[in-house]
Amino acid sequence: MDGLNVKDIIDSYNQKANERNISHVQDWKKIERDLFLNFLKENNCINLLELGAGPGRDSFFFKEQGLNTLSTDISPEMVKLCREKGLAAEVMSFAKLNIPDVSYDSIWALNCLLHVPKKELKNVLKEIKRVLKPSGLFYFGVYGGEDFEGIWEDDPYEPKRFFSFYEDEAIKKILSEFFSIEYFKVIPRKVVGGNYHFQSIILRSKLGD
Ligand SMILES: C[S@@+](CC[C@H](N)C(=O)[O-])C[C@H]1O[C@@H](n2cnc3c(N)ncnc32)[C@H](O)[C@@H]1O
């Protein structure tokens, strides 16, 4: 469909859609949303595209704050939950966005681009950059800090999901080929829980590229 093998990931997330919809939103994620919202306000952003939106809780937050949002996800069950919240939402892969060039002031992608195989990441970043306006803002939030790529064997989801994780300097190097890095912060494991820390990154489309 778009260079990514998405069949398994669609099955996994379709099955967990309702569970994820009612799960608790951790405080550190709320802080991340507020942080990006401040960037959006300072830059007079009007519209926001969410990638891998899941059940749309972040889109809902940004919409309530006055942004014109579009939620996208590869899982039809997730998109259904977005629409039930009154959100504009479309089934779409971030590898092939059915969206015109230079149409968004901002893009929010929380814990979804970690499902992209490493050899495909640059193609996905190109696609994201294509739809972002010149000097638009892009929030890229993923677990990482170590180099890993493969199926998570202890994953409670079925089929078990594929993940890619990057060391901090490695992900910065790739992202800076396409964007300027406005902000980079590590949120430690003890705050986010689990085996990896979190990489909170705010990027800006490079003018003139
Ligand atoms: C870990 S969930 C995160 C959902 C939401 N961003 C959140 O933080 O609650 C990852 C989401 O990415 C979506 N996803 C995975 N691969 C995708 C792709 N190629 N295109 C669009 N969405 C994708 C999944 O369906 C899932 O809803």
Side-chain angles (χ1 to χ4, degrees):
M1 170 189 179
D2 54 18
L4 305 187
N5 182 2
V6 289
K7 188 187 165 303
D8 282 358
I9 210 88
I10 294 172
D11 283 356
S12 302
Y13 281 109
N14 271 345
Q15 288 178 52
K16 291 284 183 177
N18 287 323
E19 190 179 311
R20 292 188 72 97
N21 191 35
I22 55 171
S23 68
H24 167 72
V25 180
Q26 293 146 292
D27 289 345
W28 67 268
K29 290 184 180 168
K30 293 183 184 167
I31 294 169
E32 288 296 286
R33 293 195 304 214
D34 288 341
L35 170 85
F36 194 54
L37 181 64
N38 283 337
F39 273 82
L40 299 178
K41 285 182 179 163
E42 278 168 17
N43 288 273
N44 301 314
C45 293
I46 290 168
N47 62 5
L48 177 140
L49 172 66
E50 180 166 15
L51 307 176
R57 296 183 302 188
D58 293 341
S59 287
F60 188 81
F61 166 81
F62 289 116
K63 187 180 173 196
E64 281 205 313
Q65 300 300 321
L67 274 299
N68 185 358
T69 62
L70 176 64
S71 316
T72 60
D73 200 283
I74 198 71
S75 150
E77 291 301 320
M78 292 294 193
V79 169
K80 199 168 132 204
L81 291 166
C82 290
R83 288 182 179 151
E84 284 173 9
K85 294 182 180 66
L87 295 165
E90 299 292 338
V91 176
M92 213 181 284
S93 174
F94 39 59
K96 194 170 190 316
L97 295 166
N98 186 18
I99 291 174
D101 296 355
V102 290
S103 39
Y104 277 89
D105 298 316
S106 64
I107 296 181
W108 171 261
L110 175 64
N111 284 336
C112 55
L113 296 170
L114 37 62
H115 292 309
V116 178
K118 293 196 176 190
K119 67 175 174 42
E120 294 295 336
L121 183 61
K122 288 187 184 178
N123 285 336
V124 172
L125 294 174
K126 265 186 220 157
E127 181 64 350
I128 291 171
K129 188 169 168 151
R130 180 183 69 74
V131 303
L132 202 53
K133 290 183 190 169
S135 73
L137 292 169
F138 170 30
Y139 176 90
F140 179 103
V142 288
Y143 295 106
E146 287 173 35
D147 182 30
F148 173 82
E149 181 174 34
I151 299 286
W152 176 25
E153 294 303 338
D154 294 332
D155 193 3
Y157 285 47
E158 281 298 338
K160 296 182 193 311
R161 293 165 295 171
F162 174 96
F163 288 88
S164 296
F165 300 121
Y166 296 82
E167 290 176 344
D168 298 341
E169 290 311 312
I171 194 64
K172 281 191 209 171
K173 187 163 182 284
I174 297 169
L175 293 171
S176 58
E177 282 182 39
F178 301 87
F179 305 97
S180 53
I181 300 179
E182 297 276 304
Y183 174 94
F184 180 95
K185 182 184 66 184
V186 160
I187 306 182
R189 286 175 205 197
K190 64 176 186 302
V191 176
V192 299
N195 296 328
Y196 294 89
H197 68 215
F198 184 82
Q199 295 158 333
S200 164
I201 311 173
I202 297 177
L203 303 157
R204 193 185 287 279
S205 205
K206 279 186 192 165
L207 277 175
D209 288 351

